[in-house]
Amino acid sequence: MEITVVGQKIHSQIKGAKNILLVGHQNPDADALGSLMAFSEWFDQLGKTYTKFCLSQPAANLSWLVNFEPLTTDAQLLFNNRYDLVIILDSSDLQYAGVTDILAKFSPRPTVINIDHHFTNQNFGDINLVDSTAVSTSEIIYHLFKLLKIKISPRIASVLLAGIIGDTYNFTNPNTNYQSLATASDLLMAGARLEQVSDSVLKNKTIDTLKIWGKILVRLKYNPELKVVSTVVTENDLKDQSSGQEVTEGVANFLNNLAGVKAALILQQQEPGIIKGSLRTNDDLIDISKLAKMLGGGGHRKAAGFKVKGQLVRTESGQWQIV
């Protein structure tokens, strides 16, 4: 990826656009929201007309990223507008972004810009700014803004730092590198509010959440031959939770730090007939994104996910299986 050339193409498209659709992936995390809001702040400076779309509202602890204002989640509302530019952020494919059907209904089809850091990104955009060596999409956007000489306000610095801290799990996962630390340092110099960012992204677990963790961890299984741990999350576990993804991702990241474990797998029953798998590893010799891709998903070498059809069922012996 040559950011200088691609960055200028992106800038040219934005300058000429009359109405822009900004898209963050479904169940948005700090990186998707940070990326979305960095562009939002920039577009406000430019006086651009735009819409912020996501299939789901952010979790309560991340609502400050969107200024406590709801995102547009109803696709039907988009068809009242004529967009000439769509910018899709932090999504490896159109399905994860939730806009496959939406783009098909726009006529004429707007130009699509794809900005992402996932190794499995399908380069679905008319313009693709994809860098799998970046720890987060927020980091890519920081470098794009620097290239285009866009002022990094304290607000922009905070939302981008949230994306970096979220995707590096506070600079503790294997994706963390000197570049991500240098970028975070620059954002702090630009006025990012570290305490607010770290508290909202990391200190988000309640007593009720930890009780659910307990149920999930009781089911933990260990394969000594493969050195893989696995567990399951049922629909009943999360029936009173507003965001089951946060629970699952939190447990997955926790299991990834176990000594003597090469990989972790969590199978979560999201709805009847649909199971989500979350994969994690700290082993440099394992690329779990390849396994996730084989199962129709994607992600990074160290963190990936997928969805399969099926139902988690507990057998008479107490084991869990997919039927």
Side-chain angles (χ1 to χ4, degrees):
M1 178 208 67
E2 177 49 63
I3 190 172
T4 302
V5 175
V6 179
Q8 292 299 338
K9 290 181 179 179
I10 291 173
H11 195 203
S12 177
Q13 289 290 329
I14 290 172
K15 284 196 300 182
K18 301 298 183 182
N19 196 7
I20 304 171
L21 178 61
L22 282 172
V23 180
H25 64 68
Q26 55 190 297
N27 300 314
D29 58 7
D31 192 26
L33 293 170
S35 301
L36 192 76
M37 293 309 296
F39 270 99
S40 175
E41 293 291 321
W42 179 28
F43 289 172
D44 285 343
Q45 295 174 19
L46 296 175
K48 288 290 181 181
T49 300
Y50 66 95
T51 302
K52 301 187 293 290
F53 174 77
C54 185
L55 282 179
S56 346
Q57 295 294 350
N61 63 298
L62 298 178
S63 59
W64 69 273
L65 283 166
V66 296
N67 289 322
F68 302 97
E69 299 173 354
L71 300 172
T72 298
T73 58
D74 185 353
Q76 294 300 317
L77 298 177
L78 302 179
F79 302 130
N80 297 324
N81 297 290
R82 184 180 294 274
Y83 297 102
D84 48 8
L85 182 63
V86 177
I87 302 177
I88 299 176
L89 302 162
D90 199 37
S91 294
S92 57
D93 57 61
L94 291 174
Q95 184 176 1
Y96 189 43
V99 294
T100 305
D101 295 335
I102 295 172
L103 287 177
K105 292 181 180 180
F106 285 143
S107 181
R109 185 181 186 275
T111 299
V112 175
I113 294 175
N114 164 33
I115 304 178
D116 186 32
H117 71 119
H118 292 97
F119 175 74
T120 54
N121 189 279
Q122 297 178 359
N123 289 301
F124 52 81
D126 299 300
I127 300 174
N128 299 291
L129 181 57
V130 178
D131 182 1
S132 60
T133 66
V135 299
S136 66
T137 301
S138 295
E139 181 183 346
I140 297 173
I141 292 172
Y142 166 78
H143 291 295
L144 175 65
F145 280 19
K146 293 287 285 185
L147 169 71
L148 301 178
K149 295 182 170 53
I150 298 165
K151 178 177 173 55
I152 306 292
S153 66
R155 166 70 178 163
I156 291 176
S158 290
V159 298
L160 292 179
L161 183 62
I164 294 173
I165 286 180
D167 267 25
T168 60
Y169 207 58
N170 201 27
F171 307 106
T172 60
N173 71 18
N175 293 329
T176 306
N177 54 37
Y178 77 92
Q179 186 64 66
S180 55
L181 293 170
T183 300
S185 177
D186 287 349
L187 293 172
L188 288 172
M189 292 291 290
R193 299 173 62 183
L194 178 59
E195 183 176 1
Q196 178 189 28
V197 170
S198 60
D199 283 358
S200 66
V201 175
L202 302 171
K203 297 180 181 179
N204 59 348
K205 297 172 184 62
T206 65
I207 297 297
D208 288 339
T209 296
L210 292 181
K211 288 180 179 179
I212 295 172
W213 276 39
K215 296 178 183 178
I216 298 169
L217 293 176
V218 163
R219 305 180 189 126
L220 200 64
K221 301 295 182 183
Y222 176 63
N223 185 314
E225 182 178 353
L226 299 177
K227 295 186 177 179
V228 172
V229 292
S230 62
T231 189
V232 300
V233 183
T234 69
E235 282 188 279
N236 192 55
D237 290 335
L238 305 175
K239 64 180 181 180
D240 296 324
Q241 288 287 309
S242 59
S243 179
Q245 180 182 356
E246 289 180 29
V247 174
T248 306
E249 295 299 304
V251 174
N253 289 325
F254 175 76
L255 295 179
N256 201 31
N257 293 316
L258 293 178
V261 170
K262 288 188 175 182
L265 167 66
I266 296 182
L267 296 175
Q268 176 192 341
Q269 190 76 57
Q270 286 199 315
E271 57 188 85
I274 300 294
I275 298 170
K276 178 185 177 182
S278 297
L279 292 159
R280 296 290 186 276
T281 184
N282 277 326
D283 195 308
D284 290 334
L285 299 179
I286 298 176
D287 183 354
I288 55 176
S289 70
K290 292 183 178 179
L291 175 58
K293 194 169 185 179
M294 290 172 59
L295 295 169
H300 304 285
R301 289 180 60 91
K302 308 294 185 182
F306 60 89
K307 288 184 180 180
V308 295
K309 294 181 179 180
Q311 194 74 21
L312 289 170
V313 175
R314 190 173 187 178
T315 65
E316 293 182 1
S317 64
Q319 302 297 313
W320 289 87
Q321 63 182 23
I322 298 176
V323 297

Coordinates of all heavy atoms in Angstrom, one line a residue, residues 22-57:
L22 N -20.8 7.5 5.7 CA -19.7 6.9 6.5 C -20.2 5.6 7.2 O -21.3 5.7 7.8 CB -19.2 7.9 7.6 CG -18.3 9.0 7.3 CD1 -18.1 9.9 8.5 CD2 -16.9 8.5 6.8
V23 N -19.5 4.5 7.0 CA -20.0 3.2 7.5 C -19.0 2.6 8.4 O -17.8 2.4 8.1 CB -20.3 2.3 6.3 CG1 -20.8 0.9 6.8 CG2 -21.3 2.9 5.3
G24 N -19.5 2.2 9.6 CA -18.7 1.4 10.6 C -19.3 0.0 10.6 O -20.5 -0.1 10.4
H25 N -18.5 -1.0 10.9 CA -19.0 -2.3 10.9 C -20.0 -2.6 12.1 O -20.1 -1.9 13.1 CB -17.9 -3.4 11.0 CG -17.1 -3.3 12.2 ND1 -17.5 -3.7 13.5 CD2 -15.8 -3.0 12.4 CE1 -16.6 -3.6 14.4 NE2 -15.5 -3.2 13.7
Q26 N -20.8 -3.6 11.9 CA -21.8 -4.0 12.9 C -21.2 -4.3 14.2 O -20.0 -4.7 14.3 CB -22.6 -5.2 12.4 CG -21.8 -6.4 12.0 CD -22.6 -7.4 11.3 OE1 -23.6 -8.0 11.9 NE2 -22.3 -7.7 10.0
N27 N -21.9 -4.1 15.3 CA -21.4 -4.3 16.7 C -20.1 -3.5 16.8 O -19.0 -4.1 17.1 CB -21.2 -5.8 17.0 CG -22.4 -6.6 16.9 OD1 -23.5 -6.2 17.4 ND2 -22.4 -7.7 16.2
P28 N -20.1 -2.2 16.6 CA -18.8 -1.5 16.4 C -18.0 -1.5 17.7 O -18.5 -1.3 18.8 CB -19.3 -0.1 16.1 CG -20.7 0.0 16.7 CD -21.3 -1.4 16.5
D29 N -16.7 -1.7 17.5 CA -15.8 -1.6 18.7 C -15.1 -0.2 18.7 O -15.5 0.7 17.9 CB -14.7 -2.7 18.5 CG -13.9 -2.6 17.2 OD1 -14.1 -1.7 16.4 OD2 -13.1 -3.6 17.0
A30 N -14.1 0.0 19.5 CA -13.5 1.3 19.6 C -12.8 1.7 18.4 O -12.8 2.9 18.0 CB -12.5 1.3 20.8
D31 N -12.3 0.8 17.6 CA -11.6 1.1 16.4 C -12.5 1.6 15.3 O -12.3 2.6 14.6 CB -10.7 -0.1 15.9 CG -9.8 0.3 14.8 OD1 -9.3 1.5 14.7 OD2 -9.4 -0.6 14.0
A32 N -13.6 0.9 15.1 CA -14.6 1.3 14.1 C -15.2 2.6 14.5 O -15.3 3.5 13.6 CB -15.7 0.2 14.1
L33 N -15.5 2.8 15.8 CA -16.1 4.1 16.2 C -15.1 5.2 16.1 O -15.4 6.4 15.7 CB -16.7 4.0 17.6 CG -17.9 3.0 17.7 CD1 -18.2 2.8 19.2 CD2 -19.1 3.6 17.0
G34 N -13.9 5.0 16.5 CA -12.8 6.0 16.5 C -12.6 6.4 15.1 O -12.4 7.6 14.8
S35 N -12.5 5.5 14.1 CA -12.3 5.8 12.7 C -13.5 6.6 12.2 O -13.3 7.6 11.5 CB -12.2 4.5 11.9 OG -11.1 3.7 12.4
L36 N -14.7 6.2 12.5 CA -15.9 6.9 12.0 C -15.9 8.3 12.5 O -16.2 9.2 11.7 CB -17.1 6.1 12.6 CG -18.5 6.5 12.0 CD1 -18.6 5.9 10.6 CD2 -19.6 5.9 12.9
M37 N -15.6 8.5 13.8 CA -15.7 9.9 14.4 C -14.6 10.8 14.0 O -14.7 12.0 13.9 CB -15.9 9.8 15.9 CG -17.2 9.1 16.3 SD -18.7 9.8 15.6 CE -18.6 11.5 16.2
A38 N -13.4 10.2 13.7 CA -12.3 11.0 13.2 C -12.7 11.7 11.8 O -12.5 12.9 11.6 CB -11.1 10.2 13.0
F39 N -13.3 10.9 10.9 CA -13.8 11.4 9.7 C -15.0 12.4 9.9 O -15.1 13.4 9.2 CB -14.3 10.3 8.8 CG -13.2 9.8 7.9 CD1 -12.5 8.6 8.2 CD2 -12.8 10.5 6.7 CE1 -11.5 8.1 7.4 CE2 -11.8 10.0 5.9 CZ -11.1 8.8 6.2
S40 N -15.8 12.1 10.9 CA -16.9 13.0 11.2 C -16.4 14.4 11.6 O -17.0 15.4 11.1 CB -17.8 12.4 12.3 OG -18.8 13.2 12.7
E41 N -15.4 14.4 12.5 CA -14.9 15.6 12.9 C -14.3 16.4 11.8 O -14.4 17.6 11.7 CB -13.8 15.4 14.0 CG -14.4 14.8 15.3 CD -15.2 15.8 16.1 OE1 -14.9 17.0 16.1 OE2 -16.3 15.4 16.6
W42 N -13.6 15.7 10.9 CA -13.0 16.4 9.7 C -14.0 16.9 8.8 O -13.9 18.0 8.3 CB -12.1 15.3 9.0 CG -11.4 15.9 7.8 CD1 -11.0 17.2 7.5 CD2 -11.0 15.2 6.6 NE1 -10.4 17.3 6.3 CE2 -10.4 16.1 5.7 CE3 -11.1 13.8 6.3 CZ2 -9.9 15.7 4.5 CZ3 -10.6 13.4 5.0 CH2 -10.0 14.4 4.1
F43 N -15.1 16.1 8.6 CA -16.1 16.6 7.7 C -16.8 17.8 8.2 O -17.3 18.7 7.5 CB -17.1 15.5 7.4 CG -16.5 14.4 6.5 CD1 -17.2 13.2 6.3 CD2 -15.3 14.5 5.9 CE1 -16.7 12.2 5.5 CE2 -14.8 13.5 5.1 CZ -15.5 12.3 4.9
D44 N -17.0 17.9 9.6 CA -17.6 19.1 10.2 C -16.7 20.3 9.9 O -17.2 21.4 9.6 CB -17.7 18.9 11.7 CG -18.9 17.9 12.0 OD1 -19.7 17.7 11.2 OD2 -18.9 17.4 13.2
Q45 N -15.4 20.1 9.9 CA -14.5 21.2 9.6 C -14.6 21.7 8.2 O -14.6 22.9 7.9 CB -13.0 20.8 9.9 CG -12.7 20.5 11.3 CD -11.3 19.9 11.4 OE1 -10.4 20.1 10.6 NE2 -11.0 19.3 12.6
L46 N -14.9 20.7 7.3 CA -15.0 21.0 5.9 C -16.4 21.5 5.5 O -16.7 22.0 4.4 CB -14.7 19.8 5.0 CG -13.3 19.2 5.1 CD1 -13.2 17.9 4.3 CD2 -12.3 20.2 4.6
G47 N -17.4 21.3 6.4 CA -18.8 21.7 6.1 C -19.5 20.7 5.2 O -20.4 21.1 4.4
K48 N -19.1 19.4 5.2 CA -19.6 18.4 4.3 C -20.9 17.9 4.9 O -21.2 17.8 6.1 CB -18.6 17.2 4.2 CG -17.4 17.5 3.4 CD -17.7 17.7 1.9 CE -16.5 18.0 1.1 NZ -16.8 18.1 -0.4
T49 N -21.8 17.5 3.9 CA -23.0 16.8 4.3 C -22.7 15.3 4.3 O -22.2 14.7 3.3 CB -24.1 17.1 3.2 OG1 -24.4 18.5 3.2 CG2 -25.4 16.3 3.6
Y50 N -23.1 14.6 5.4 CA -22.7 13.2 5.5 C -23.7 12.5 6.5 O -24.4 13.2 7.3 CB -21.3 13.0 6.0 CG -21.0 13.5 7.4 CD1 -21.0 12.7 8.5 CD2 -20.7 14.9 7.6 CE1 -20.8 13.1 9.8 CE2 -20.5 15.4 8.9 CZ -20.5 14.5 10.0 OH -20.3 14.9 11.2
T51 N -23.7 11.2 6.5 CA -24.5 10.4 7.4 C -23.5 9.3 8.0 O -22.7 8.7 7.3 CB -25.6 9.6 6.6 OG1 -26.4 10.6 6.0 CG2 -26.5 8.8 7.6
K52 N -23.7 9.1 9.3 CA -22.9 8.1 10.0 C -23.9 6.8 10.2 O -24.9 6.9 10.9 CB -22.5 8.5 11.4 CG -21.6 9.8 11.3 CD -21.0 10.1 12.7 CE -22.0 10.6 13.7 NZ -22.6 11.9 13.4
F53 N -23.5 5.7 9.5 CA -24.3 4.5 9.5 C -23.6 3.3 10.1 O -22.4 3.1 9.9 CB -24.7 4.2 8.1 CG -25.5 2.9 8.0 CD1 -26.8 2.8 8.4 CD2 -24.9 1.7 7.6 CE1 -27.5 1.6 8.3 CE2 -25.6 0.5 7.5 CZ -26.9 0.5 7.9
C54 N -24.4 2.6 10.9 CA -23.9 1.3 11.5 C -25.1 0.5 11.8 O -26.1 1.0 12.2 CB -23.1 1.6 12.7 SG -22.3 0.1 13.4
L55 N -25.0 -0.8 11.6 CA -26.2 -1.7 11.8 C -26.5 -1.7 13.3 O -27.7 -2.1 13.7 CB -25.9 -3.1 11.3 CG -26.0 -3.4 9.8 CD1 -25.7 -4.8 9.5 CD2 -27.4 -3.0 9.4
S56 N -25.6 -1.4 14.2 CA -25.8 -1.5 15.6 C -25.3 -0.2 16.3 O -24.4 0.4 15.9 CB -25.1 -2.7 16.3 OG -24.7 -3.6 15.3
Q57 N -26.0 0.2 17.4 CA -25.5 1.3 18.2 C -24.3 0.9 19.0 O -24.2 -0.3 19.3 CB -26.7 1.8 19.1 CG -27.9 2.3 18.4 CD -27.6 3.7 17.7 OE1 -26.5 4.3 17.9 NE2 -28.6 4.1 16.9

